[in-house]
Amino acid sequence: MVSLSRHIVGSEEGVKMKAVILAAGYGTRLLRDLHTHKNEQFRHLIGIPKPLLPIGECPLISYWVDALEATEISEVIVVTNDYYHNNFKEWAQKYKSVTLINDGSSSNEDRLGAVSCLQLAIDKIKVNDHILVIGGDTLFYEDFHLKDVIRRFQSLYKDNASANLVLSYTCKDEETRKYGILETDEDQRVRALREKPSPTDTTSRQACPCFYVLSKDTLQSVREFLQENKDAPLEEKDAPGHFLSWLVNRNPVYVYQISGRFDVGNLESYITCDRYFQEKIKNLPNYLQ
């Protein structure tokens, strides 16, 4: 177990970083699939929040926490909802680095939304470090390494204290309507993020998963975004991509390319992810690190 007093060191003065895992969703698509699927073998998953779903040999979120601790992240903040809070409380007992935050919501209808949950973490922990923001239902392929991403961020931050870093992978033409799509320049700086565009609306196929490295100088922008959109419907400010689309016009955001991801959004994607981990990740040391 990594001591909480240790930090990633990438320059002479050192760079402090915390991680926020957004885990307050209600998994409505997956739950619907579980209730309607004819095969009874998956019924035991009903009542388990997506970040705690068994993938391979452990809960999905555990892969992230194990890797974050090994990478010497100082604290891992997991934002949950009230409905699943006890599930996460039981899981978190084995992790000294984890701080749980309950967003107080009890149903999908009264959810705060991902960006508000991020602000909740910033407020409650009084964060004054850089932040890794990770979607609680996302995993990456085995060629992804946290240390490489953090090293790239440190290089950007050294040149510009307002710089931020996001991930990107190439999606298929028919998948653009499912994701936020990044448009970048020759320096790999993001110039626009289009939320679920049609394939004819953009030539880019750079899908953007929920994994952001936000500089501490950028954190105040989260509150500014929420304030500007306080009267907007939840759907217009819920997804982190909406915040990122707003941010790229104010602070520099750069892209780090990865090969792909697992998005455990429904039963089909869960089965695919679990099978992959059973076959290829099961005995892989240092996964995500």
Side-chain angles (χ1 to χ4, degrees):
M1 192 68 67
V2 178
S3 169
L4 299 187
S5 64
R6 299 169 66 186
H7 303 289
I8 297 170
V9 178
S11 60
E12 292 181 3
E13 71 276 8
V15 176
K16 297 179 181 179
M17 188 173 292
K18 289 183 171 68
V20 174
I21 300 179
L22 301 173
Y26 287 87
T28 52
R29 285 184 298 154
L30 176 61
L31 190 60
R32 182 172 58 247
D33 289 351
L34 292 172
H35 279 295
T36 58
H37 199 274
K38 296 179 180 179
N39 195 328
E40 295 287 332
Q41 76 177 97
F42 300 109
R43 289 299 177 93
H44 68 286
L45 299 178
I46 295 175
I48 300 177
K50 285 195 296 182
L52 296 181
L53 287 170
I55 301 289
E57 296 190 326
C58 69
L60 186 159
I61 194 174
S62 293
Y63 290 105
W64 280 118
V65 178
D66 289 341
L68 290 165
E69 289 185 342
T71 315
E72 301 184 8
I73 297 295
S74 63
E75 186 172 8
V76 182
I77 303 150
V78 178
V79 186
T80 75
N81 56 53
D82 191 59
Y83 187 82
Y84 288 123
H85 183 70
N86 286 336
N87 301 67
F88 283 96
K89 191 174 180 180
E90 180 179 354
W91 160 81
Q93 290 178 358
K94 65 175 291 188
Y95 292 107
K96 292 182 180 179
S97 67
V98 170
T99 297
L100 291 181
I101 293 179
N102 184 342
D103 76 353
S105 70
S106 56
S107 71
N108 190 58
E109 289 68 34
D110 69 351
R111 69 190 187 280
L112 296 187
V115 183
S116 291
C117 284
L118 174 58
Q119 184 61 54
L120 189 66
I122 293 171
D123 289 342
K124 290 220 172 181
I125 307 300
K126 294 181 174 56
V127 173
N128 192 31
D129 300 326
H130 309 303
I131 288 185
L132 267 172
V133 182
I134 304 172
D137 58 358
T138 298
L139 287 169
F140 300 128
Y141 288 101
E142 60 269 29
D143 59 347
F144 169 89
H145 297 289
L146 271 170
K147 291 179 181 178
D148 293 339
V149 176
I150 293 169
R151 190 176 297 116
R152 172 59 177 155
F153 168 76
Q154 291 173 319
S155 176
L156 292 169
Y157 179 73
K158 187 176 181 181
D159 292 333
N160 188 329
S162 298
N164 306 277
L165 186 63
V166 299
L167 303 187
S168 174
Y169 64 94
T170 303
C171 70
K172 299 176 182 178
D173 288 353
E174 62 271 20
E175 292 178 324
T176 61
R177 294 183 184 275
K178 298 168 57 179
Y179 307 123
I181 303 297
L182 300 171
E183 296 179 346
T184 59
D185 61 20
E186 63 275 9
D187 296 321
Q188 290 299 291
R189 178 171 174 173
V190 180
R191 293 304 178 182
L193 183 146
R194 297 183 179 271
E195 191 66 33
K196 300 179 180 180
S198 71
T200 57
D201 287 340
T202 178
T203 58
S204 175
R205 298 296 181 263
Q206 294 190 78
C208 182
C210 183
F211 184 103
Y212 313 144
V213 190
L214 302 180
S215 71
K216 62 182 179 180
D217 288 20
T218 294
L219 297 187
Q220 64 182 3
S221 297
V222 179
R223 184 182 300 280
E224 292 172 9
F225 168 80
L226 291 170
Q227 183 63 29
E228 284 188 22
N229 292 275
K230 63 181 180 180
D231 297 323
L234 182 60
E235 291 73 19
E236 294 183 12
K237 57 185 177 181
D238 180 16
H242 293 302
F243 166 67
L244 188 60
S245 178
W246 176 90
L247 180 66
V248 297
N249 295 314
R250 293 161 175 81
N251 288 34
V253 178
Y254 293 87
V255 163
Y256 184 95
Q257 297 289 342
I258 61 173
S259 63
R261 66 154 172 173
F262 298 97
D263 177 14
V264 185
N266 55 30
L267 183 55
E268 181 183 4
S269 60
Y270 168 76
I271 293 171
T272 299
C273 182
D274 183 52
R275 183 181 299 122
Y276 190 94
F277 275 66
Q278 293 285 1
E279 296 173 355
K280 297 191 176 183
I281 308 291
K282 187 174 181 179
N283 297 311
L284 182 69
N286 305 321
Y287 172 61
L288 294 178
Q289 298 177 25

